[in-house]
Amino acid sequence: MSGSSTGQAGRVTGWGAAGAAETPAGRLRRRFPTFDDLQGRARSRVARFAYDFVAGGVGDGAPNVAHNRAAMDAVRIVPRYALDLSGVATATRLFGRDYAAPVGVAPMGNTGMVWPRADAILAAAAQAARIPYVSSTVANVGMEELARIAPDSLWFQLYGCPAEGHRLSLDLIRRAEAAGAHALVVTLDVPMRQKRVHDVRNGLAVPFKYRPRTVLDIARAPVWALEMLRKGQPRFENMKKYVGEDASVGELASFVTQHMTTGVTWDDIARFREAWPRALVLKGIQHPEDAERAVALGVDGIWVSNHGGRQFDAAPASIDTVPAIAAAVGGRAKILYDGSIRSGLDVLRALAVGADFCFAGRAFLLAVAALGEAGGGHATSAFLEEIRGTFGQAGIRSVEEAARATVLHPNAVRFEPEANAAGLEAPRRRAS
Ligand SMILES: Cc1cc2nc3c(=O)[nH]c(=O)nc-3n(C[C@H](O)[C@H](O)[C@H](O)COP(=O)(O)O)c2cc1C
């Protein structure tokens, strides 16, 4: 969905050949060639509180979101030319399964507030494109239904629910296994809920509270409002089993608030490892020592992420911790990455600095906010096309070659105490 690479990618894949009648997909491609185009449309189409919920971060001005973007832009790839590009391939294998490209849909909760059944739209698009789709614990379409929509793409993301010895977490894990999810992603970087100031100001609540400001927001987004009215307010569907099939939006929301309290510990992860027979991934890792600890527990994937800048404004940019974490892991687990992946070029950047596979959150969800049902296919096609075009432009013929690209990464965090001209310091021990 980048501006510059899209046109080039079109030449490579033969989309929109001159003179051909324009298809609906071709029209969208021309009108919304970049993430920014989609974001602009989303902003004017959905209620302000729903848009801010997706696009925003934690504190005022979302500094960590901006930091993720600036750090991504700072990564440079040195292209190689005069190569035979007849065999450029983006397909890759992860945890024993084949995917069309090294990109997937990151887990996102409460997406139904942005567009009704956004989870189902994105799951179907991922299945059609042969890429992974990670369903959130707090999705608005239940994991069993998503498994029917996307049997080849479904992964499940777990937020720990520590009450009663993780009884609920372990039941969700069992259900994900029965539904056929290919990987379990345990999110670490929400140890406590954070005050997201834009949500506080907007009076965001589940179910919606009709304050004057909310009503004004809704009135300014008539297409979205009509769609919400027709389909009803989104529910945390995975929780119906525990609260009741007829539970109200509010009852399901309070159940989530009561149970998702403090995240998970290393002991919990060891238990989840025993309970889950397929690929296990820990999401939200930012420190090489945490990655080492995860590998020691038999984890299959380390997902480097700062939650898209939604949790901790002082965190390093997600892309900047990838090289040190990849070095610490040394091939013992796969390195997954998210944070400001908005185009095929960003995917290449992440692969070049050490990731094996990437995920995007907002790029997919804002496409649905902008275009509704058509947004899922538009976003997956754009990513696939751009990854291929960008690979070709840089002289890279496969995901394996991307890992060997010559890369400039000026802000990469170095964790050794002596290497701190620009990087982070290792924790100092206080003299006793
Ligand atoms: C609206 C929204 C909801 C999210 N909900 C979850 C969630 O339920 N579980 C989770 O692990 N991460 C969640 N995330 C974080 C994403 O999985 C991912 O880490 C982040 O979006 C990546 O950054 P990007 O949006 O810049 O691509 C959410 C992100 C967004 C934008």
Side-chain angles (χ1 to χ4, degrees), residues 53-56 65 68 105-111 114 135-139 157-159 185-190 196 283 303 305-310 338-342 359-363 365:
F53 164 68
V54 181
V65 178
N68 271 353
V105 183
M108 286 174 284
N110 215 11
T111 61
V114 180
S135 160
S136 165
T137 304
V138 281
Q157 174 267 331
L158 180 77
Y159 278 131
V185 176
V186 178
T187 298
L188 305 185
D189 59 7
V190 186
R196 295 188 179 146
K283 175 172 183 278
W303 185 322
S305 170
N306 60 16
H307 215 95
R310 297 166 73 80
D338 77 28
S340 212
I341 292 279
R342 294 178 183 173
F359 288 82
R362 295 181 183 90
L365 187 53

mmCIF file of all heavy atoms in Angstrom, residues 53-56 65 68 105-111 114 135-139 157-159 185-190 196 283 303 305-310 338-342 359-363 365, ligand 1:
data_model
loop_
_atom_site.group_PDB
_atom_site.id
_atom_site.type_symbol
_atom_site.label_atom_id
_atom_site.label_comp_id
_atom_site.label_asym_id
_atom_site.label_seq_id
_atom_site.Cartn_x
_atom_site.Cartn_y
_atom_site.Cartn_z
ATOM 1 N N PHE A 53 -9.769 4.891 18.295
ATOM 2 C CA PHE A 53 -9.466 3.612 18.954
ATOM 3 C C PHE A 53 -8.461 2.805 18.122
ATOM 4 O O PHE A 53 -7.545 2.184 18.649
ATOM 5 C CB PHE A 53 -10.770 2.828 19.155
ATOM 6 C CG PHE A 53 -10.565 1.369 19.469
ATOM 7 C CD1 PHE A 53 -10.010 0.970 20.676
ATOM 8 C CD2 PHE A 53 -10.916 0.389 18.547
ATOM 9 C CE1 PHE A 53 -9.807 -0.381 20.960
ATOM 10 C CE2 PHE A 53 -10.723 -0.955 18.814
ATOM 11 C CZ PHE A 53 -10.162 -1.347 20.031
ATOM 12 N N VAL A 54 -8.595 2.862 16.805
ATOM 13 C CA VAL A 54 -7.682 2.099 15.939
ATOM 14 C C VAL A 54 -6.377 2.867 15.715
ATOM 15 O O VAL A 54 -5.280 2.329 15.913
ATOM 16 C CB VAL A 54 -8.312 1.831 14.547
ATOM 17 C CG1 VAL A 54 -7.359 1.025 13.676
ATOM 18 C CG2 VAL A 54 -9.617 1.107 14.689
ATOM 19 N N ALA A 55 -6.505 4.109 15.297
ATOM 20 C CA ALA A 55 -5.320 4.832 14.835
ATOM 21 C C ALA A 55 -4.458 5.339 15.985
ATOM 22 O O ALA A 55 -3.247 5.535 15.817
ATOM 23 C CB ALA A 55 -5.755 6.008 13.959
ATOM 24 N N GLY A 56 -5.035 5.511 17.160
ATOM 25 C CA GLY A 56 -4.330 6.168 18.257
ATOM 26 C C GLY A 56 -3.314 5.285 18.962
ATOM 27 O O GLY A 56 -3.156 4.102 18.663
ATOM 28 N N VAL A 65 3.600 5.582 18.342
ATOM 29 C CA VAL A 65 3.138 5.230 16.992
ATOM 30 C C VAL A 65 4.022 5.963 15.970
ATOM 31 O O VAL A 65 4.514 5.367 14.997
ATOM 32 C CB VAL A 65 1.649 5.617 16.794
ATOM 33 C CG1 VAL A 65 1.190 5.286 15.383
ATOM 34 C CG2 VAL A 65 0.763 4.920 17.824
ATOM 35 N N ASN A 68 7.529 4.424 15.873
ATOM 36 C CA ASN A 68 7.570 3.195 15.058
ATOM 37 C C ASN A 68 7.719 3.544 13.580
ATOM 38 O O ASN A 68 8.471 2.919 12.845
ATOM 39 C CB ASN A 68 6.271 2.390 15.234
ATOM 40 C CG ASN A 68 6.330 1.405 16.393
ATOM 41 O OD1 ASN A 68 7.373 1.207 17.000
ATOM 42 N ND2 ASN A 68 5.204 0.785 16.692
ATOM 43 N N VAL A 105 -2.255 -11.019 9.186
ATOM 44 C CA VAL A 105 -3.101 -10.048 9.889
ATOM 45 C C VAL A 105 -2.866 -10.205 11.392
ATOM 46 O O VAL A 105 -3.108 -11.281 11.958
ATOM 47 C CB VAL A 105 -4.596 -10.272 9.570
ATOM 48 C CG1 VAL A 105 -5.455 -9.212 10.245
ATOM 49 C CG2 VAL A 105 -4.843 -10.282 8.057
ATOM 50 N N ALA A 106 -2.394 -9.157 12.048
ATOM 51 C CA ALA A 106 -2.120 -9.183 13.496
ATOM 52 C C ALA A 106 -3.434 -9.269 14.273
ATOM 53 O O ALA A 106 -4.478 -8.832 13.771
ATOM 54 C CB ALA A 106 -1.360 -7.920 13.894
ATOM 55 N N PRO A 107 -3.384 -9.814 15.503
ATOM 56 C CA PRO A 107 -4.624 -9.885 16.279
ATOM 57 C C PRO A 107 -5.121 -8.498 16.664
ATOM 58 O O PRO A 107 -4.345 -7.660 17.106
ATOM 59 C CB PRO A 107 -4.204 -10.670 17.533
ATOM 60 C CG PRO A 107 -2.738 -10.463 17.650
ATOM 61 C CD PRO A 107 -2.225 -10.338 16.247
ATOM 62 N N MET A 108 -6.412 -8.298 16.495
ATOM 63 C CA MET A 108 -7.007 -7.018 16.908
ATOM 64 C C MET A 108 -8.357 -7.282 17.542
ATOM 65 O O MET A 108 -9.199 -7.971 16.960
ATOM 66 C CB MET A 108 -7.160 -6.084 15.699
ATOM 67 C CG MET A 108 -5.838 -5.509 15.235
ATOM 68 S SD MET A 108 -5.990 -4.543 13.724
ATOM 69 C CE MET A 108 -6.151 -5.817 12.505
ATOM 70 N N GLY A 109 -8.542 -6.743 18.732
ATOM 71 C CA GLY A 109 -9.782 -6.931 19.460
ATOM 72 C C GLY A 109 -10.781 -5.825 19.158
ATOM 73 O O GLY A 109 -10.410 -4.719 18.751
ATOM 74 N N ASN A 110 -12.043 -6.138 19.346
ATOM 75 C CA ASN A 110 -13.133 -5.175 19.220
ATOM 76 C C ASN A 110 -13.161 -4.459 17.877
ATOM 77 O O ASN A 110 -13.528 -3.279 17.786
ATOM 78 C CB ASN A 110 -13.081 -4.157 20.365
ATOM 79 C CG ASN A 110 -14.474 -3.754 20.796
ATOM 80 O OD1 ASN A 110 -15.473 -4.365 20.400
ATOM 81 N ND2 ASN A 110 -14.567 -2.703 21.583
ATOM 82 N N THR A 111 -12.801 -5.176 16.819
ATOM 83 C CA THR A 111 -12.768 -4.556 15.490
ATOM 84 C C THR A 111 -14.164 -4.267 14.961
ATOM 85 O O THR A 111 -14.329 -3.467 14.040
ATOM 86 C CB THR A 111 -12.079 -5.493 14.471
ATOM 87 O OG1 THR A 111 -12.855 -6.695 14.400
ATOM 88 C CG2 THR A 111 -10.675 -5.843 14.882
ATOM 89 N N VAL A 114 -15.297 -0.812 14.545
ATOM 90 C CA VAL A 114 -14.806 -0.061 13.397
ATOM 91 C C VAL A 114 -15.660 -0.359 12.161
ATOM 92 O O VAL A 114 -15.986 0.521 11.381
ATOM 93 C CB VAL A 114 -13.339 -0.443 13.139
ATOM 94 C CG1 VAL A 114 -12.782 0.315 11.959
ATOM 95 C CG2 VAL A 114 -12.521 -0.204 14.387
ATOM 96 N N SER A 135 -6.647 -14.423 15.268
ATOM 97 C CA SER A 135 -7.877 -13.987 15.908
ATOM 98 C C SER A 135 -7.602 -13.623 17.372
ATOM 99 O O SER A 135 -6.926 -14.356 18.081
ATOM 100 C CB SER A 135 -8.872 -15.148 15.818
ATOM 101 O OG SER A 135 -9.875 -14.990 16.759
ATOM 102 N N SER A 136 -8.131 -12.487 17.798
ATOM 103 C CA SER A 136 -7.900 -12.012 19.173
ATOM 104 C C SER A 136 -8.816 -12.713 20.170
ATOM 105 O O SER A 136 -9.943 -13.092 19.836
ATOM 106 C CB SER A 136 -8.172 -10.505 19.213
ATOM 107 O OG SER A 136 -8.304 -10.052 20.531
ATOM 108 N N THR A 137 -8.348 -12.825 21.409
ATOM 109 C CA THR A 137 -9.208 -13.283 22.506
ATOM 110 C C THR A 137 -10.495 -12.468 22.536
ATOM 111 O O THR A 137 -11.582 -12.996 22.751
ATOM 112 C CB THR A 137 -8.495 -13.071 23.876
ATOM 113 O OG1 THR A 137 -7.240 -13.732 23.861
ATOM 114 C CG2 THR A 137 -9.327 -13.574 25.036
ATOM 115 N N VAL A 138 -10.339 -11.145 22.300
ATOM 116 C CA VAL A 138 -11.494 -10.254 22.400
ATOM 117 C C VAL A 138 -12.029 -9.874 21.011
ATOM 118 O O VAL A 138 -12.380 -8.723 20.742
ATOM 119 C CB VAL A 138 -11.186 -9.005 23.268
ATOM 120 C CG1 VAL A 138 -11.262 -9.365 24.730
ATOM 121 C CG2 VAL A 138 -9.809 -8.415 22.970
ATOM 122 N N ALA A 139 -12.053 -10.875 20.134
ATOM 123 C CA ALA A 139 -12.629 -10.686 18.799
ATOM 124 C C ALA A 139 -14.138 -10.536 18.919
ATOM 125 O O ALA A 139 -14.744 -10.916 19.927
ATOM 126 C CB ALA A 139 -12.293 -11.887 17.926
ATOM 127 N N GLN A 157 -4.875 -15.752 19.288
ATOM 128 C CA GLN A 157 -4.091 -14.945 20.252
ATOM 129 C C GLN A 157 -4.752 -14.989 21.615
ATOM 130 O O GLN A 157 -5.967 -14.787 21.727
ATOM 131 C CB GLN A 157 -4.004 -13.491 19.758
ATOM 132 C CG GLN A 157 -3.334 -12.534 20.738
ATOM 133 C CD GLN A 157 -4.324 -11.841 21.666
ATOM 134 O OE1 GLN A 157 -5.477 -11.626 21.290
ATOM 135 N NE2 GLN A 157 -3.883 -11.500 22.864
ATOM 136 N N LEU A 158 -3.938 -15.205 22.632
ATOM 137 C CA LEU A 158 -4.461 -15.320 24.001
ATOM 138 C C LEU A 158 -3.990 -14.167 24.878
ATOM 139 O O LEU A 158 -2.792 -13.889 24.968
ATOM 140 C CB LEU A 158 -3.964 -16.640 24.619
ATOM 141 C CG LEU A 158 -4.430 -16.897 26.042
ATOM 142 C CD1 LEU A 158 -5.884 -17.371 26.059
ATOM 143 C CD2 LEU A 158 -3.547 -17.931 26.739
ATOM 144 N N TYR A 159 -4.947 -13.526 25.535
ATOM 145 C CA TYR A 159 -4.630 -12.669 26.681
ATOM 146 C C TYR A 159 -4.845 -13.538 27.905
ATOM 147 O O TYR A 159 -5.905 -14.172 28.040
ATOM 148 C CB TYR A 159 -5.598 -11.485 26.753
ATOM 149 C CG TYR A 159 -5.262 -10.325 25.853
ATOM 150 C CD1 TYR A 159 -6.235 -9.755 25.039
ATOM 151 C CD2 TYR A 159 -3.988 -9.767 25.842
ATOM 152 C CE1 TYR A 159 -5.934 -8.665 24.224
ATOM 153 C CE2 TYR A 159 -3.680 -8.683 25.032
ATOM 154 C CZ TYR A 159 -4.654 -8.131 24.230
ATOM 155 O OH TYR A 159 -4.358 -7.055 23.436
ATOM 156 N N VAL A 185 -0.697 -17.612 19.958
ATOM 157 C CA VAL A 185 0.113 -16.417 20.204
ATOM 158 C C VAL A 185 -0.266 -15.874 21.578
ATOM 159 O O VAL A 185 -1.412 -15.447 21.773
ATOM 160 C CB VAL A 185 -0.175 -15.345 19.126
ATOM 161 C CG1 VAL A 185 0.587 -14.060 19.412
ATOM 162 C CG2 VAL A 185 0.152 -15.874 17.728
ATOM 163 N N VAL A 186 0.661 -15.898 22.516
ATOM 164 C CA VAL A 186 0.364 -15.378 23.857
ATOM 165 C C VAL A 186 0.936 -13.971 23.947
ATOM 166 O O VAL A 186 2.141 -13.761 23.752
ATOM 167 C CB VAL A 186 0.977 -16.284 24.942
ATOM 168 C CG1 VAL A 186 0.705 -15.714 26.330
ATOM 169 C CG2 VAL A 186 0.431 -17.713 24.832
ATOM 170 N N THR A 187 0.070 -13.026 24.223
ATOM 171 C CA THR A 187 0.504 -11.618 24.266
ATOM 172 C C THR A 187 1.021 -11.272 25.658
ATOM 173 O O THR A 187 0.333 -11.462 26.663
ATOM 174 C CB THR A 187 -0.665 -10.696 23.868
ATOM 175 O OG1 THR A 187 -1.021 -11.012 22.521
ATOM 176 C CG2 THR A 187 -0.289 -9.233 23.952
ATOM 177 N N LEU A 188 2.254 -10.735 25.694
ATOM 178 C CA LEU A 188 2.896 -10.410 26.977
ATOM 179 C C LEU A 188 2.828 -8.931 27.320
ATOM 180 O O LEU A 188 2.980 -8.562 28.487
ATOM 181 C CB LEU A 188 4.392 -10.769 26.909
ATOM 182 C CG LEU A 188 4.785 -12.189 26.526
ATOM 183 C CD1 LEU A 188 6.292 -12.345 26.645
ATOM 184 C CD2 LEU A 188 4.080 -13.199 27.411
ATOM 185 N N ASP A 189 2.636 -8.094 26.300
ATOM 186 C CA ASP A 189 2.892 -6.672 26.538
ATOM 187 C C ASP A 189 1.667 -5.867 26.987
ATOM 188 O O ASP A 189 1.633 -4.651 26.844
ATOM 189 C CB ASP A 189 3.555 -6.029 25.306
ATOM 190 C CG ASP A 189 2.714 -6.155 24.045
ATOM 191 O OD1 ASP A 189 1.561 -6.618 24.143
ATOM 192 O OD2 ASP A 189 3.211 -5.807 22.959
ATOM 193 N N VAL A 190 0.689 -6.596 27.566
ATOM 194 C CA VAL A 190 -0.423 -5.881 28.209
ATOM 195 C C VAL A 190 -0.518 -6.392 29.650
ATOM 196 O O VAL A 190 -1.509 -7.012 30.047
ATOM 197 C CB VAL A 190 -1.744 -6.095 27.444
ATOM 198 C CG1 VAL A 190 -2.865 -5.233 28.013
ATOM 199 C CG2 VAL A 190 -1.566 -5.750 25.958
ATOM 200 N N ARG A 196 -5.589 5.083 27.703
ATOM 201 C CA ARG A 196 -5.395 5.657 26.362
ATOM 202 C C ARG A 196 -6.189 6.957 26.325
ATOM 203 O O ARG A 196 -7.418 6.941 26.331
ATOM 204 C CB ARG A 196 -5.856 4.678 25.298
ATOM 205 C CG ARG A 196 -4.994 3.420 25.297
ATOM 206 C CD ARG A 196 -5.273 2.500 24.148
ATOM 207 N NE ARG A 196 -4.405 1.340 24.217
ATOM 208 C CZ ARG A 196 -4.753 0.111 23.837
ATOM 209 N NH1 ARG A 196 -5.957 -0.109 23.336
ATOM 210 N NH2 ARG A 196 -3.906 -0.888 23.933
ATOM 211 N N LYS A 283 4.182 -12.884 22.002
ATOM 212 C CA LYS A 283 4.064 -11.593 21.311
ATOM 213 C C LYS A 283 4.311 -10.432 22.268
ATOM 214 O O LYS A 283 3.754 -10.414 23.378
ATOM 215 C CB LYS A 283 2.660 -11.481 20.707
ATOM 216 C CG LYS A 283 2.341 -10.143 20.051
ATOM 217 C CD LYS A 283 1.004 -10.205 19.327
ATOM 218 C CE LYS A 283 0.663 -8.930 18.600
ATOM 219 N NZ LYS A 283 0.079 -7.913 19.473
ATOM 220 N N TRP A 303 7.704 -12.952 18.811
ATOM 221 C CA TRP A 303 7.041 -11.893 18.030
ATOM 222 C C TRP A 303 7.479 -10.555 18.608
ATOM 223 O O TRP A 303 7.024 -10.155 19.677
ATOM 224 C CB TRP A 303 5.536 -12.075 18.130
ATOM 225 C CG TRP A 303 4.670 -11.172 17.302
ATOM 226 C CD1 TRP A 303 4.850 -9.854 17.028
ATOM 227 C CD2 TRP A 303 3.438 -11.544 16.651
ATOM 228 N NE1 TRP A 303 3.816 -9.390 16.245
ATOM 229 C CE2 TRP A 303 2.939 -10.402 16.003
ATOM 230 C CE3 TRP A 303 2.707 -12.733 16.573
ATOM 231 C CZ2 TRP A 303 1.737 -10.403 15.286
ATOM 232 C CZ3 TRP A 303 1.519 -12.728 15.856
ATOM 233 C CH2 TRP A 303 1.045 -11.583 15.217
ATOM 234 N N SER A 305 7.411 -6.827 19.110
ATOM 235 C CA SER A 305 6.294 -5.893 18.945
ATOM 236 C C SER A 305 6.256 -4.952 20.136
ATOM 237 O O SER A 305 6.619 -5.339 21.251
ATOM 238 C CB SER A 305 4.983 -6.695 18.890
ATOM 239 O OG SER A 305 3.849 -5.844 18.955
ATOM 240 N N ASN A 306 5.814 -3.708 19.894
ATOM 241 C CA ASN A 306 5.474 -2.849 21.041
ATOM 242 C C ASN A 306 3.969 -2.528 20.990
ATOM 243 O O ASN A 306 3.542 -1.464 21.388
ATOM 244 C CB ASN A 306 6.334 -1.582 21.097
ATOM 245 C CG ASN A 306 6.190 -0.701 19.870
ATOM 246 O OD1 ASN A 306 5.248 -0.847 19.086
ATOM 247 N ND2 ASN A 306 7.116 0.227 19.693
ATOM 248 N N HIS A 307 3.212 -3.500 20.471
ATOM 249 C CA HIS A 307 1.753 -3.408 20.436
ATOM 250 C C HIS A 307 1.308 -2.229 19.565
ATOM 251 O O HIS A 307 0.315 -1.554 19.852
ATOM 252 C CB HIS A 307 1.190 -3.274 21.852
ATOM 253 C CG HIS A 307 -0.140 -3.964 22.050
ATOM 254 N ND1 HIS A 307 -0.253 -5.238 22.548
ATOM 255 C CD2 HIS A 307 -1.410 -3.562 21.799
ATOM 256 C CE1 HIS A 307 -1.538 -5.573 22.612
ATOM 257 N NE2 HIS A 307 -2.257 -4.574 22.158
ATOM 258 N N GLY A 308 2.094 -1.964 18.531
ATOM 259 C CA GLY A 308 1.736 -0.861 17.636
ATOM 260 C C GLY A 308 1.728 0.482 18.350
ATOM 261 O O GLY A 308 0.994 1.400 17.981
ATOM 262 N N GLY A 309 2.582 0.623 19.389
ATOM 263 C CA GLY A 309 2.662 1.892 20.113
ATOM 264 C C GLY A 309 1.441 2.194 20.963
ATOM 265 O O GLY A 309 1.188 3.341 21.318
ATOM 266 N N ARG A 310 0.696 1.146 21.332
ATOM 267 C CA ARG A 310 -0.564 1.358 22.048
ATOM 268 C C ARG A 310 -0.459 1.157 23.552
ATOM 269 O O ARG A 310 -1.448 1.278 24.264
ATOM 270 C CB ARG A 310 -1.627 0.384 21.513
ATOM 271 C CG ARG A 310 -1.966 0.600 20.078
ATOM 272 C CD ARG A 310 -2.744 -0.556 19.504
ATOM 273 N NE ARG A 310 -4.117 -0.635 19.959
ATOM 274 C CZ ARG A 310 -5.113 0.092 19.486
ATOM 275 N NH1 ARG A 310 -4.875 0.981 18.543
ATOM 276 N NH2 ARG A 310 -6.333 -0.049 19.940
ATOM 277 N N ASP A 338 5.928 -7.052 14.213
ATOM 278 C CA ASP A 338 4.929 -6.059 13.797
ATOM 279 C C ASP A 338 5.291 -4.688 14.330
ATOM 280 O O ASP A 338 6.091 -4.548 15.256
ATOM 281 C CB ASP A 338 3.491 -6.465 14.168
ATOM 282 C CG ASP A 338 3.128 -6.263 15.640
ATOM 283 O OD1 ASP A 338 3.678 -5.383 16.312
ATOM 284 O OD2 ASP A 338 2.251 -7.014 16.109
ATOM 285 N N GLY A 339 4.692 -3.668 13.712
ATOM 286 C CA GLY A 339 4.909 -2.274 14.096
ATOM 287 C C GLY A 339 5.082 -1.440 12.843
ATOM 288 O O GLY A 339 6.124 -1.511 12.192
ATOM 289 N N SER A 340 4.031 -0.718 12.462
ATOM 290 C CA SER A 340 4.061 0.182 11.309
ATOM 291 C C SER A 340 4.403 -0.521 10.000
ATOM 292 O O SER A 340 5.076 0.051 9.146
ATOM 293 C CB SER A 340 5.024 1.346 11.560
ATOM 294 O OG SER A 340 4.543 2.482 10.895
ATOM 295 N N ILE A 341 3.932 -1.740 9.829
ATOM 296 C CA ILE A 341 4.029 -2.392 8.512
ATOM 297 C C ILE A 341 2.850 -1.870 7.688
ATOM 298 O O ILE A 341 1.699 -2.181 7.984
ATOM 299 C CB ILE A 341 3.948 -3.936 8.656
ATOM 300 C CG1 ILE A 341 5.180 -4.484 9.358
ATOM 301 C CG2 ILE A 341 3.725 -4.591 7.289
ATOM 302 C CD1 ILE A 341 6.402 -4.672 8.495
ATOM 303 N N ARG A 342 3.169 -1.044 6.709
ATOM 304 C CA ARG A 342 2.101 -0.423 5.921
ATOM 305 C C ARG A 342 2.233 -0.690 4.430
ATOM 306 O O ARG A 342 1.411 -0.223 3.650
ATOM 307 C CB ARG A 342 2.129 1.088 6.140
ATOM 308 C CG ARG A 342 1.786 1.443 7.552
ATOM 309 C CD ARG A 342 1.869 2.940 7.723
ATOM 310 N NE ARG A 342 1.600 3.292 9.091
ATOM 311 C CZ ARG A 342 1.727 4.508 9.566
ATOM 312 N NH1 ARG A 342 2.123 5.479 8.770
ATOM 313 N NH2 ARG A 342 1.466 4.762 10.821
ATOM 314 N N PHE A 359 3.657 -9.027 10.465
ATOM 315 C CA PHE A 359 2.205 -8.873 10.614
ATOM 316 C C PHE A 359 1.884 -7.381 10.605
ATOM 317 O O PHE A 359 2.691 -6.558 11.031
ATOM 318 C CB PHE A 359 1.731 -9.500 11.927
ATOM 319 C CG PHE A 359 1.783 -10.999 11.887
ATOM 320 C CD1 PHE A 359 2.969 -11.666 12.123
ATOM 321 C CD2 PHE A 359 0.660 -11.738 11.560
ATOM 322 C CE1 PHE A 359 3.039 -13.049 12.052
ATOM 323 C CE2 PHE A 359 0.710 -13.121 11.481
ATOM 324 C CZ PHE A 359 1.904 -13.782 11.729
ATOM 325 N N ALA A 360 0.685 -7.068 10.130
ATOM 326 C CA ALA A 360 0.220 -5.681 10.166
ATOM 327 C C ALA A 360 -1.129 -5.659 10.859
ATOM 328 O O ALA A 360 -1.932 -6.584 10.696
ATOM 329 C CB ALA A 360 0.094 -5.125 8.756
ATOM 330 N N GLY A 361 -1.361 -4.604 11.630
ATOM 331 C CA GLY A 361 -2.654 -4.431 12.286
ATOM 332 C C GLY A 361 -3.462 -3.369 11.562
ATOM 333 O O GLY A 361 -4.353 -3.656 10.760
ATOM 334 N N ARG A 362 -3.090 -2.121 11.805
ATOM 335 C CA ARG A 362 -3.904 -1.004 11.290
ATOM 336 C C ARG A 362 -4.029 -1.018 9.768
ATOM 337 O O ARG A 362 -5.057 -0.612 9.228
ATOM 338 C CB ARG A 362 -3.305 0.316 11.757
ATOM 339 C CG ARG A 362 -3.353 0.495 13.272
ATOM 340 C CD ARG A 362 -2.765 1.842 13.644
ATOM 341 N NE ARG A 362 -2.708 2.063 15.070
ATOM 342 C CZ ARG A 362 -1.673 1.738 15.844
ATOM 343 N NH1 ARG A 362 -0.608 1.131 15.320
ATOM 344 N NH2 ARG A 362 -1.691 2.003 17.141
ATOM 345 N N ALA A 363 -2.975 -1.425 9.057
ATOM 346 C CA ALA A 363 -3.054 -1.380 7.589
ATOM 347 C C ALA A 363 -4.238 -2.210 7.105
ATOM 348 O O ALA A 363 -4.918 -1.827 6.145
ATOM 349 C CB ALA A 363 -1.758 -1.896 6.977
ATOM 350 N N LEU A 365 -6.977 -3.194 9.159
ATOM 351 C CA LEU A 365 -8.255 -2.770 9.742
ATOM 352 C C LEU A 365 -8.730 -1.431 9.173
ATOM 353 O O LEU A 365 -9.932 -1.228 8.946
ATOM 354 C CB LEU A 365 -8.145 -2.719 11.271
ATOM 355 C CG LEU A 365 -9.442 -2.463 12.021
ATOM 356 C CD1 LEU A 365 -10.546 -3.441 11.613
ATOM 357 C CD2 LEU A 365 -9.220 -2.541 13.536
HETATM 358 C C1 LIG B 1 -7.579 -1.794 17.085
HETATM 359 C C2 LIG B 1 -6.474 -2.668 17.571
HETATM 360 C C3 LIG B 1 -6.754 -3.693 18.459
HETATM 361 C C4 LIG B 1 -5.722 -4.531 18.903
HETATM 362 N N1 LIG B 1 -6.047 -5.595 19.711
HETATM 363 C C5 LIG B 1 -5.081 -6.492 20.028
HETATM 364 C C6 LIG B 1 -5.427 -7.704 20.699
HETATM 365 O O1 LIG B 1 -6.581 -7.964 20.986
HETATM 366 N N2 LIG B 1 -4.419 -8.554 21.006
HETATM 367 C C7 LIG B 1 -3.097 -8.287 20.686
HETATM 368 O O2 LIG B 1 -2.208 -9.095 20.991
HETATM 369 N N3 LIG B 1 -2.763 -7.161 20.025
HETATM 370 C C8 LIG B 1 -3.707 -6.278 19.672
HETATM 371 N N4 LIG B 1 -3.384 -5.165 18.950
HETATM 372 C C9 LIG B 1 -1.978 -4.953 18.538
HETATM 373 C C10 LIG B 1 -1.715 -5.603 17.167
HETATM 374 O O3 LIG B 1 -1.766 -6.999 17.263
HETATM 375 C C11 LIG B 1 -0.332 -5.231 16.617
HETATM 376 O O4 LIG B 1 0.644 -5.501 17.595
HETATM 377 C C12 LIG B 1 -0.228 -3.757 16.187
HETATM 378 O O5 LIG B 1 -1.427 -3.322 15.616
HETATM 379 C C13 LIG B 1 0.907 -3.626 15.180
HETATM 380 O O6 LIG B 1 1.082 -2.318 14.788
HETATM 381 P P1 LIG B 1 0.448 -1.673 13.443
HETATM 382 O O7 LIG B 1 -0.993 -1.437 13.744
HETATM 383 O O8 LIG B 1 1.227 -0.430 13.281
HETATM 384 O O9 LIG B 1 0.645 -2.673 12.324
HETATM 385 C C14 LIG B 1 -4.379 -4.312 18.491
HETATM 386 C C15 LIG B 1 -4.109 -3.265 17.610
HETATM 387 C C16 LIG B 1 -5.128 -2.467 17.133
HETATM 388 C C17 LIG B 1 -4.795 -1.387 16.138
#
